[in-house]
Amino acid sequence: MNSGEQPTGQISTSRSEPVRRMPRAQRREQILDAATRAFARAGFTATSLDDVAGEAGITPVLLYRHFDSKADLYRAVLDGARARLANTLGEDDFDENTIAALVRAASADPDGFRLLFHYAAREPEFRDITDALAMNSTEVAHRNLITTLPDGPWTQWAARLLPTLATEAVIAWLDIGQPDPDHAADRISQAVHGVIQAAHSR
């Protein structure tokens, strides 16, 4: 099921156009890019492997040479989105640069961002990925908040709320067309700082 591909030449398919052969790693990335777009339009359940193959311009048979199932492909898509996010955002910071980095990550990869924070959370089969991401984000937020706030229930409340607030604010920004990109992070940061101020109030 995982035979290699030749770097040159063409193969005939049932489609009117032949599928160009390419190195295996390059083909895999092409499929993942296409799957990210396809899944972001309709989610996991409503997207078939035929949809993904069509988006990639390949046959389902070729797709199965790289991924054993739709679930296997979806997890690879989510893993890729998570890796791209970590590369832009970092994995252990929550400071004045975090929101700007989050906006940059979402702007560069809107489909992957939506899949990670919108669709996957609604799919029980993949909640382990989003739950782990949420737990890590809460721990990072808490660890950074207690450097300026007294530890206690309201700081814990803020640590749980801030990652969700920030990602939902960014998704809302994506959904309305990414207006005023130079100041989007500042606007979202105002909402985030409101939560921090509320946690600090006595």
Short mmCIF file of all heavy atoms in Angstrom, two decimals, residues 99-162:
data_model
loop_
_atom_site.label_atom_id
_atom_site.label_comp_id
_atom_site.label_asym_id
_atom_site.label_seq_id
_atom_site.Cartn_x
_atom_site.Cartn_y
_atom_site.Cartn_z
N ILE A 99 -0.09 37.17 20.81
CA ILE A 99 -1.26 37.42 19.96
C ILE A 99 -0.85 37.77 18.54
O ILE A 99 -1.45 37.29 17.57
CB ILE A 99 -2.15 38.53 20.56
CG1 ILE A 99 -2.61 38.13 21.97
CG2 ILE A 99 -3.36 38.79 19.67
CD1 ILE A 99 -3.37 36.83 22.04
N ALA A 100 0.18 38.59 18.40
CA ALA A 100 0.66 38.93 17.06
C ALA A 100 1.13 37.68 16.33
O ALA A 100 0.86 37.51 15.13
CB ALA A 100 1.78 39.96 17.15
N ALA A 101 1.82 36.79 17.04
CA ALA A 101 2.28 35.54 16.42
C ALA A 101 1.09 34.66 16.04
O ALA A 101 1.09 33.99 14.99
CB ALA A 101 3.22 34.80 17.37
N LEU A 102 0.07 34.64 16.89
CA LEU A 102 -1.13 33.84 16.61
C LEU A 102 -1.83 34.36 15.36
O LEU A 102 -2.28 33.58 14.51
CB LEU A 102 -2.07 33.90 17.81
CG LEU A 102 -3.20 32.86 17.88
CD1 LEU A 102 -2.63 31.46 18.05
CD2 LEU A 102 -4.14 33.20 19.04
N VAL A 103 -1.94 35.67 15.23
CA VAL A 103 -2.55 36.28 14.04
C VAL A 103 -1.74 35.95 12.79
O VAL A 103 -2.30 35.61 11.74
CB VAL A 103 -2.71 37.80 14.23
CG1 VAL A 103 -3.11 38.47 12.91
CG2 VAL A 103 -3.74 38.10 15.31
N ARG A 104 -0.41 36.03 12.89
CA ARG A 104 0.44 35.69 11.75
C ARG A 104 0.25 34.23 11.35
O ARG A 104 0.15 33.91 10.16
CB ARG A 104 1.91 35.93 12.08
CG ARG A 104 2.32 37.38 12.12
CD ARG A 104 3.85 37.52 12.04
NE ARG A 104 4.55 36.74 13.05
CZ ARG A 104 4.81 37.19 14.28
NH1 ARG A 104 4.39 38.39 14.65
NH2 ARG A 104 5.47 36.43 15.14
N ALA A 105 0.20 33.34 12.33
CA ALA A 105 0.03 31.92 12.05
C ALA A 105 -1.30 31.65 11.35
O ALA A 105 -1.37 30.89 10.38
CB ALA A 105 0.13 31.11 13.33
N ALA A 106 -2.35 32.29 11.84
CA ALA A 106 -3.68 32.08 11.24
C ALA A 106 -3.76 32.67 9.85
O ALA A 106 -4.37 32.08 8.94
CB ALA A 106 -4.74 32.70 12.14
N SER A 107 -3.15 33.83 9.66
CA SER A 107 -3.16 34.47 8.34
C SER A 107 -2.39 33.65 7.32
O SER A 107 -2.79 33.55 6.15
CB SER A 107 -2.56 35.88 8.45
OG SER A 107 -2.57 36.53 7.20
N ALA A 108 -1.29 33.03 7.74
CA ALA A 108 -0.47 32.23 6.84
C ALA A 108 -1.11 30.88 6.53
O ALA A 108 -0.88 30.31 5.46
CB ALA A 108 0.91 32.02 7.44
N ASP A 109 -1.93 30.36 7.44
CA ASP A 109 -2.49 29.01 7.30
C ASP A 109 -3.93 28.99 7.80
O ASP A 109 -4.25 28.29 8.76
CB ASP A 109 -1.63 28.02 8.09
CG ASP A 109 -2.05 26.57 7.90
OD1 ASP A 109 -2.71 26.26 6.88
OD2 ASP A 109 -1.72 25.75 8.78
N PRO A 110 -4.83 29.77 7.18
CA PRO A 110 -6.19 29.87 7.71
C PRO A 110 -6.95 28.55 7.73
O PRO A 110 -7.70 28.27 8.67
CB PRO A 110 -6.87 30.90 6.79
CG PRO A 110 -6.03 30.92 5.55
CD PRO A 110 -4.64 30.62 5.98
N ASP A 111 -6.77 27.72 6.71
CA ASP A 111 -7.47 26.43 6.68
C ASP A 111 -6.99 25.52 7.81
O ASP A 111 -7.79 24.90 8.52
CB ASP A 111 -7.27 25.74 5.33
CG ASP A 111 -8.01 26.43 4.20
OD1 ASP A 111 -8.98 27.16 4.48
OD2 ASP A 111 -7.60 26.26 3.04
N GLY A 112 -5.68 25.42 7.98
CA GLY A 112 -5.15 24.60 9.06
C GLY A 112 -5.55 25.11 10.43
O GLY A 112 -5.86 24.33 11.33
N PHE A 113 -5.58 26.42 10.59
CA PHE A 113 -5.96 27.03 11.87
C PHE A 113 -7.42 26.70 12.20
O PHE A 113 -7.73 26.31 13.33
CB PHE A 113 -5.76 28.55 11.79
CG PHE A 113 -5.75 29.24 13.12
CD1 PHE A 113 -4.57 29.39 13.83
CD2 PHE A 113 -6.92 29.74 13.67
CE1 PHE A 113 -4.55 30.04 15.06
CE2 PHE A 113 -6.91 30.38 14.90
CZ PHE A 113 -5.73 30.54 15.60
N ARG A 114 -8.28 26.83 11.21
CA ARG A 114 -9.70 26.50 11.44
C ARG A 114 -9.89 25.03 11.77
O ARG A 114 -10.70 24.67 12.64
CB ARG A 114 -10.54 26.88 10.22
CG ARG A 114 -10.77 28.36 10.02
CD ARG A 114 -11.80 28.60 8.93
NE ARG A 114 -12.10 30.00 8.73
CZ ARG A 114 -11.53 30.76 7.80
NH1 ARG A 114 -10.61 30.23 7.01
NH2 ARG A 114 -11.86 32.02 7.68
N LEU A 115 -9.19 24.16 11.06
CA LEU A 115 -9.30 22.73 11.34
C LEU A 115 -8.88 22.42 12.77
O LEU A 115 -9.55 21.67 13.48
CB LEU A 115 -8.43 21.93 10.37
CG LEU A 115 -8.98 21.74 8.96
CD1 LEU A 115 -7.96 21.04 8.09
CD2 LEU A 115 -10.28 20.95 8.99
N LEU A 116 -7.79 23.01 13.20
CA LEU A 116 -7.24 22.70 14.51
C LEU A 116 -8.12 23.21 15.64
O LEU A 116 -8.34 22.51 16.64
CB LEU A 116 -5.85 23.32 14.61
CG LEU A 116 -4.84 22.71 15.59
CD1 LEU A 116 -4.70 21.21 15.38
CD2 LEU A 116 -3.50 23.40 15.43
N PHE A 117 -8.68 24.41 15.48
CA PHE A 117 -9.40 25.04 16.58
C PHE A 117 -10.92 25.09 16.41
O PHE A 117 -11.63 25.49 17.34
CB PHE A 117 -8.88 26.46 16.80
CG PHE A 117 -7.46 26.51 17.30
CD1 PHE A 117 -6.43 26.92 16.47
CD2 PHE A 117 -7.15 26.11 18.59
CE1 PHE A 117 -5.12 26.95 16.93
CE2 PHE A 117 -5.85 26.13 19.05
CZ PHE A 117 -4.83 26.56 18.22
N HIS A 118 -11.41 24.70 15.26
CA HIS A 118 -12.85 24.76 15.04
C HIS A 118 -13.43 23.38 14.74
O HIS A 118 -14.25 22.87 15.49
CB HIS A 118 -13.16 25.73 13.89
CG HIS A 118 -14.61 25.91 13.62
ND1 HIS A 118 -15.45 26.58 14.48
CD2 HIS A 118 -15.39 25.49 12.59
CE1 HIS A 118 -16.68 26.59 13.98
NE2 HIS A 118 -16.67 25.92 12.85
N TYR A 119 -12.96 22.76 13.67
CA TYR A 119 -13.55 21.48 13.26
C TYR A 119 -13.15 20.31 14.14
O TYR A 119 -13.99 19.52 14.56
CB TYR A 119 -13.17 21.18 11.80
CG TYR A 119 -13.96 21.96 10.79
CD1 TYR A 119 -13.34 22.92 9.99
CD2 TYR A 119 -15.32 21.74 10.61
CE1 TYR A 119 -14.06 23.65 9.05
CE2 TYR A 119 -16.05 22.46 9.67
CZ TYR A 119 -15.42 23.40 8.89
OH TYR A 119 -16.12 24.12 7.97
N ALA A 120 -11.86 20.16 14.41
CA ALA A 120 -11.38 18.96 15.11
C ALA A 120 -11.99 18.84 16.50
O ALA A 120 -12.23 17.73 16.99
CB ALA A 120 -9.86 18.96 15.19
N ALA A 121 -12.24 19.98 17.15
CA ALA A 121 -12.82 19.95 18.49
C ALA A 121 -14.23 19.36 18.49
O ALA A 121 -14.72 18.92 19.53
CB ALA A 121 -12.84 21.36 19.07
N ARG A 122 -14.87 19.34 17.33
CA ARG A 122 -16.24 18.80 17.23
C ARG A 122 -16.26 17.34 16.79
O ARG A 122 -17.33 16.76 16.66
CB ARG A 122 -17.04 19.64 16.23
CG ARG A 122 -17.10 21.11 16.61
CD ARG A 122 -17.88 21.92 15.60
NE ARG A 122 -17.93 23.33 15.96
CZ ARG A 122 -18.62 24.26 15.29
NH1 ARG A 122 -19.31 23.90 14.23
NH2 ARG A 122 -18.61 25.51 15.69
N GLU A 123 -15.11 16.78 16.53
CA GLU A 123 -15.02 15.40 16.07
C GLU A 123 -14.51 14.52 17.22
O GLU A 123 -13.34 14.59 17.59
CB GLU A 123 -14.07 15.30 14.88
CG GLU A 123 -14.45 16.13 13.68
CD GLU A 123 -15.64 15.56 12.93
OE1 GLU A 123 -16.05 14.42 13.25
OE2 GLU A 123 -16.16 16.24 12.03
N PRO A 124 -15.37 13.70 17.84
CA PRO A 124 -14.95 12.91 19.00
C PRO A 124 -13.72 12.05 18.74
O PRO A 124 -12.89 11.87 19.64
CB PRO A 124 -16.18 12.03 19.27
CG PRO A 124 -17.34 12.80 18.73
CD PRO A 124 -16.80 13.50 17.52
N GLU A 125 -13.55 11.58 17.52
CA GLU A 125 -12.43 10.70 17.20
C GLU A 125 -11.08 11.41 17.31
O GLU A 125 -10.04 10.78 17.47
CB GLU A 125 -12.61 10.14 15.78
CG GLU A 125 -11.60 9.08 15.41
CD GLU A 125 -11.89 8.47 14.05
OE1 GLU A 125 -12.95 8.76 13.46
OE2 GLU A 125 -11.04 7.68 13.59
N PHE A 126 -11.13 12.75 17.24
CA PHE A 126 -9.88 13.52 17.23
C PHE A 126 -9.78 14.49 18.40
O PHE A 126 -8.91 15.36 18.41
CB PHE A 126 -9.76 14.28 15.90
CG PHE A 126 -9.90 13.38 14.71
CD1 PHE A 126 -11.10 13.30 14.02
CD2 PHE A 126 -8.85 12.57 14.31
CE1 PHE A 126 -11.24 12.46 12.94
CE2 PHE A 126 -8.99 11.71 13.22
CZ PHE A 126 -10.19 11.66 12.53
N ARG A 127 -10.64 14.33 19.39
CA ARG A 127 -10.62 15.22 20.54
C ARG A 127 -9.32 15.09 21.34
O ARG A 127 -8.94 16.02 22.05
CB ARG A 127 -11.82 14.95 21.45
CG ARG A 127 -13.13 15.54 20.95
CD ARG A 127 -13.09 17.05 20.91
NE ARG A 127 -12.84 17.65 22.20
CZ ARG A 127 -13.80 17.95 23.07
NH1 ARG A 127 -15.06 17.70 22.80
NH2 ARG A 127 -13.47 18.50 24.22
N ASP A 128 -8.66 13.94 21.24
CA ASP A 128 -7.41 13.79 21.97
C ASP A 128 -6.38 14.83 21.52
O ASP A 128 -5.61 15.36 22.34
CB ASP A 128 -6.84 12.38 21.80
CG ASP A 128 -6.53 12.04 20.35
OD1 ASP A 128 -7.43 12.17 19.50
OD2 ASP A 128 -5.39 11.63 20.07
N ILE A 129 -6.38 15.17 20.23
CA ILE A 129 -5.45 16.17 19.71
C ILE A 129 -5.79 17.54 20.24
O ILE A 129 -4.92 18.27 20.76
CB ILE A 129 -5.47 16.17 18.18
CG1 ILE A 129 -4.94 14.84 17.64
CG2 ILE A 129 -4.65 17.34 17.62
CD1 ILE A 129 -5.02 14.70 16.14
N THR A 130 -7.07 17.93 20.15
CA THR A 130 -7.46 19.26 20.59
C THR A 130 -7.44 19.38 22.11
O THR A 130 -7.11 20.45 22.64
CB THR A 130 -8.84 19.64 20.04
OG1 THR A 130 -9.80 18.65 20.41
CG2 THR A 130 -8.80 19.73 18.53
N ASP A 131 -7.76 18.30 22.82
CA ASP A 131 -7.70 18.34 24.28
C ASP A 131 -6.26 18.53 24.75
O ASP A 131 -5.99 19.28 25.70
CB ASP A 131 -8.29 17.07 24.88
CG ASP A 131 -9.80 17.02 24.79
OD1 ASP A 131 -10.41 18.05 24.45
OD2 ASP A 131 -10.38 15.95 25.07
N ALA A 132 -5.32 17.83 24.11
CA ALA A 132 -3.92 17.98 24.48
C ALA A 132 -3.42 19.39 24.18
O ALA A 132 -2.67 19.98 24.97
CB ALA A 132 -3.06 16.96 23.73
N LEU A 133 -3.87 19.94 23.07
CA LEU A 133 -3.48 21.31 22.71
C LEU A 133 -4.04 22.30 23.72
O LEU A 133 -3.35 23.22 24.15
CB LEU A 133 -3.98 21.63 21.30
CG LEU A 133 -3.53 22.94 20.67
CD1 LEU A 133 -2.01 22.98 20.53
CD2 LEU A 133 -4.19 23.12 19.31
N ALA A 134 -5.30 22.12 24.10
CA ALA A 134 -5.92 23.01 25.08
C ALA A 134 -5.25 22.90 26.44
O ALA A 134 -5.00 23.92 27.11
CB ALA A 134 -7.41 22.69 25.20
N MET A 135 -4.92 21.69 26.86
CA MET A 135 -4.25 21.49 28.15
C MET A 135 -2.89 22.17 28.16
O MET A 135 -2.52 22.86 29.12
CB MET A 135 -4.11 20.00 28.46
CG MET A 135 -3.45 19.71 29.79
SD MET A 135 -3.31 17.92 30.11
CE MET A 135 -5.04 17.46 30.14
N ASN A 136 -2.13 21.99 27.08
CA ASN A 136 -0.81 22.60 27.00
C ASN A 136 -0.92 24.13 26.99
O ASN A 136 -0.14 24.82 27.67
CB ASN A 136 -0.09 22.12 25.75
CG ASN A 136 1.29 22.72 25.62
OD1 ASN A 136 2.20 22.42 26.40
ND2 ASN A 136 1.48 23.58 24.64
N SER A 137 -1.89 24.65 26.25
CA SER A 137 -2.07 26.11 26.18
C SER A 137 -2.44 26.68 27.54
O SER A 137 -1.95 27.75 27.93
CB SER A 137 -3.16 26.46 25.15
OG SER A 137 -2.80 26.03 23.86
N THR A 138 -3.28 25.97 28.28
CA THR A 138 -3.67 26.42 29.62
C THR A 138 -2.48 26.41 30.56
O THR A 138 -2.27 27.35 31.34
CB THR A 138 -4.79 25.52 30.17
OG1 THR A 138 -5.94 25.64 29.33
CG2 THR A 138 -5.17 25.93 31.58
N GLU A 139 -1.66 25.35 30.48
CA GLU A 139 -0.48 25.27 31.35
C GLU A 139 0.51 26.39 31.04
O GLU A 139 1.08 27.00 31.95
CB GLU A 139 0.19 23.90 31.17
CG GLU A 139 -0.62 22.75 31.75
CD GLU A 139 0.00 21.40 31.44
OE1 GLU A 139 0.98 21.36 30.65
OE2 GLU A 139 -0.50 20.39 31.97
N VAL A 140 0.71 26.68 29.75
CA VAL A 140 1.63 27.75 29.36
C VAL A 140 1.09 29.10 29.84
O VAL A 140 1.84 29.93 30.39
CB VAL A 140 1.84 27.76 27.84
CG1 VAL A 140 2.58 29.02 27.40
CG2 VAL A 140 2.60 26.52 27.40
N ALA A 141 -0.21 29.33 29.65
CA ALA A 141 -0.80 30.59 30.09
C ALA A 141 -0.67 30.75 31.61
O ALA A 141 -0.30 31.82 32.10
CB ALA A 141 -2.27 30.65 29.67
N HIS A 142 -0.95 29.69 32.34
CA HIS A 142 -0.87 29.76 33.80
C HIS A 142 0.55 30.02 34.26
O HIS A 142 0.79 30.87 35.14
CB HIS A 142 -1.39 28.45 34.41
CG HIS A 142 -1.40 28.46 35.91
ND1 HIS A 142 -0.42 27.85 36.66
CD2 HIS A 142 -2.27 29.03 36.80
CE1 HIS A 142 -0.68 28.03 37.94
NE2 HIS A 142 -1.80 28.73 38.05
N ARG A 143 1.51 29.32 33.67
CA ARG A 143 2.91 29.49 34.06
C ARG A 143 3.38 30.92 33.83
O ARG A 143 4.17 31.45 34.62
CB ARG A 143 3.76 28.50 33.27
CG ARG A 143 5.22 28.47 33.71
CD ARG A 143 5.91 27.22 33.24
NE ARG A 143 5.87 27.05 31.79
CZ ARG A 143 5.16 26.10 31.17
NH1 ARG A 143 4.44 25.25 31.87
NH2 ARG A 143 5.18 26.00 29.86
N ASN A 144 2.91 31.56 32.78
CA ASN A 144 3.32 32.93 32.50
C ASN A 144 2.51 33.95 33.29
O ASN A 144 3.03 34.99 33.68
CB ASN A 144 3.22 33.21 31.00
CG ASN A 144 4.34 32.56 30.21
OD1 ASN A 144 5.39 33.13 30.00
ND2 ASN A 144 4.13 31.32 29.77
N LEU A 145 1.23 33.65 33.55
CA LEU A 145 0.39 34.59 34.31
C LEU A 145 0.87 34.73 35.76
O LEU A 145 0.82 35.83 36.33
CB LEU A 145 -1.06 34.13 34.29
CG LEU A 145 -1.84 34.39 32.99
CD1 LEU A 145 -3.20 33.71 33.06
CD2 LEU A 145 -2.01 35.88 32.72
N ILE A 146 1.32 33.64 36.36
CA ILE A 146 1.69 33.73 37.77
C ILE A 146 3.00 34.49 37.99
O ILE A 146 3.40 34.70 39.14
CB ILE A 146 1.78 32.33 38.44
CG1 ILE A 146 2.82 31.45 37.74
CG2 ILE A 146 0.41 31.67 38.46
CD1 ILE A 146 3.03 30.10 38.43
N THR A 147 3.64 34.93 36.92
CA THR A 147 4.80 35.81 37.11
C THR A 147 4.36 37.23 37.43
O THR A 147 5.16 38.02 37.95
CB THR A 147 5.68 35.83 35.85
OG1 THR A 147 4.94 36.39 34.74
CG2 THR A 147 6.15 34.42 35.50
N THR A 148 3.09 37.56 37.14
CA THR A 148 2.60 38.91 37.42
C THR A 148 1.32 38.93 38.26
O THR A 148 0.96 39.96 38.81
CB THR A 148 2.32 39.67 36.11
OG1 THR A 148 1.41 38.92 35.29
CG2 THR A 148 3.62 39.89 35.34
N LEU A 149 0.63 37.80 38.35
CA LEU A 149 -0.61 37.72 39.11
C LEU A 149 -0.44 36.73 40.26
O LEU A 149 0.30 35.75 40.13
CB LEU A 149 -1.78 37.24 38.23
CG LEU A 149 -2.20 38.11 37.05
CD1 LEU A 149 -3.34 37.44 36.29
CD2 LEU A 149 -2.62 39.49 37.51
N PRO A 150 -1.12 36.96 41.37
CA PRO A 150 -1.08 35.97 42.45
C PRO A 150 -1.80 34.70 42.02
O PRO A 150 -2.87 34.74 41.43
CB PRO A 150 -1.83 36.68 43.59
CG PRO A 150 -2.71 37.68 42.91
CD PRO A 150 -1.96 38.15 41.70
N ASP A 151 -1.18 33.57 42.31
CA ASP A 151 -1.81 32.32 41.93
C ASP A 151 -3.06 32.10 42.77
O ASP A 151 -3.09 32.39 43.97
CB ASP A 151 -0.84 31.16 42.12
CG ASP A 151 -1.29 29.91 41.36
OD1 ASP A 151 -2.28 30.01 40.61
OD2 ASP A 151 -0.66 28.86 41.53
N GLY A 152 -4.09 31.60 42.15
CA GLY A 152 -5.36 31.38 42.83
C GLY A 152 -6.43 31.06 41.81
O GLY A 152 -6.15 30.93 40.61
N PRO A 153 -7.67 30.92 42.26
CA PRO A 153 -8.74 30.47 41.35
C PRO A 153 -8.98 31.40 40.17
O PRO A 153 -9.27 30.94 39.07
CB PRO A 153 -9.97 30.38 42.26
CG PRO A 153 -9.63 31.18 43.47
CD PRO A 153 -8.16 31.06 43.64
N TRP A 154 -8.85 32.74 40.37
CA TRP A 154 -9.12 33.65 39.25
C TRP A 154 -7.98 33.66 38.24
O TRP A 154 -8.21 33.85 37.03
CB TRP A 154 -9.42 35.06 39.76
CG TRP A 154 -10.79 35.13 40.35
CD1 TRP A 154 -11.12 35.27 41.66
CD2 TRP A 154 -12.02 35.01 39.63
NE1 TRP A 154 -12.49 35.25 41.82
CE2 TRP A 154 -13.07 35.09 40.59
CE3 TRP A 154 -12.37 34.84 38.30
CZ2 TRP A 154 -14.41 35.02 40.24
CZ3 TRP A 154 -13.71 34.76 37.94
CH2 TRP A 154 -14.72 34.85 38.91
N THR A 155 -6.77 33.43 38.70
CA THR A 155 -5.66 33.28 37.75
C THR A 155 -5.81 31.98 36.98
O THR A 155 -5.55 31.92 35.76
CB THR A 155 -4.32 33.34 38.49
OG1 THR A 155 -4.19 34.63 39.11
CG2 THR A 155 -3.16 33.13 37.53
N GLN A 156 -6.26 30.92 37.66
CA GLN A 156 -6.53 29.66 36.97
C GLN A 156 -7.67 29.83 35.97
O GLN A 156 -7.62 29.27 34.86
CB GLN A 156 -6.86 28.58 38.00
CG GLN A 156 -5.68 28.24 38.90
CD GLN A 156 -6.09 27.38 40.09
OE1 GLN A 156 -7.19 26.81 40.10
NE2 GLN A 156 -5.21 27.26 41.08
N TRP A 157 -8.67 30.61 36.34
CA TRP A 157 -9.78 30.91 35.43
C TRP A 157 -9.27 31.62 34.18
O TRP A 157 -9.63 31.25 33.05
CB TRP A 157 -10.79 31.79 36.17
CG TRP A 157 -11.81 32.48 35.31
CD1 TRP A 157 -12.94 31.94 34.78
CD2 TRP A 157 -11.79 33.86 34.90
NE1 TRP A 157 -13.63 32.91 34.07
CE2 TRP A 157 -12.95 34.08 34.14
CE3 TRP A 157 -10.91 34.92 35.14
CZ2 TRP A 157 -13.24 35.33 33.58
CZ3 TRP A 157 -11.20 36.16 34.59
CH2 TRP A 157 -12.35 36.37 33.81
N ALA A 158 -8.43 32.61 34.37
CA ALA A 158 -7.87 33.35 33.23
C ALA A 158 -7.03 32.45 32.34
O ALA A 158 -7.08 32.53 31.11
CB ALA A 158 -7.05 34.53 33.72
N ALA A 159 -6.26 31.56 32.96
CA ALA A 159 -5.40 30.66 32.19
C ALA A 159 -6.22 29.71 31.31
O ALA A 159 -5.81 29.36 30.20
CB ALA A 159 -4.51 29.85 33.13
N ARG A 160 -7.38 29.30 31.80
CA ARG A 160 -8.26 28.44 31.01
C ARG A 160 -8.98 29.22 29.92
O ARG A 160 -9.21 28.72 28.82
CB ARG A 160 -9.28 27.75 31.91
CG ARG A 160 -8.68 26.72 32.86
CD ARG A 160 -9.72 26.18 33.82
NE ARG A 160 -10.76 25.45 33.13
CZ ARG A 160 -10.74 24.14 32.89
NH1 ARG A 160 -9.69 23.42 33.29
NH2 ARG A 160 -11.72 23.54 32.26
N LEU A 161 -9.34 30.47 30.21
CA LEU A 161 -10.13 31.26 29.28
C LEU A 161 -9.30 31.88 28.16
O LEU A 161 -9.74 31.94 27.01
CB LEU A 161 -10.86 32.36 30.04
CG LEU A 161 -11.70 33.35 29.23
CD1 LEU A 161 -12.77 32.62 28.42
CD2 LEU A 161 -12.33 34.39 30.15
N LEU A 162 -8.09 32.34 28.48
CA LEU A 162 -7.31 33.11 27.51
C LEU A 162 -7.02 32.37 26.20
O LEU A 162 -7.20 32.96 25.13
CB LEU A 162 -6.01 33.59 28.16
CG LEU A 162 -6.16 34.74 29.16
CD1 LEU A 162 -4.82 35.04 29.80
CD2 LEU A 162 -6.71 35.98 28.47
#
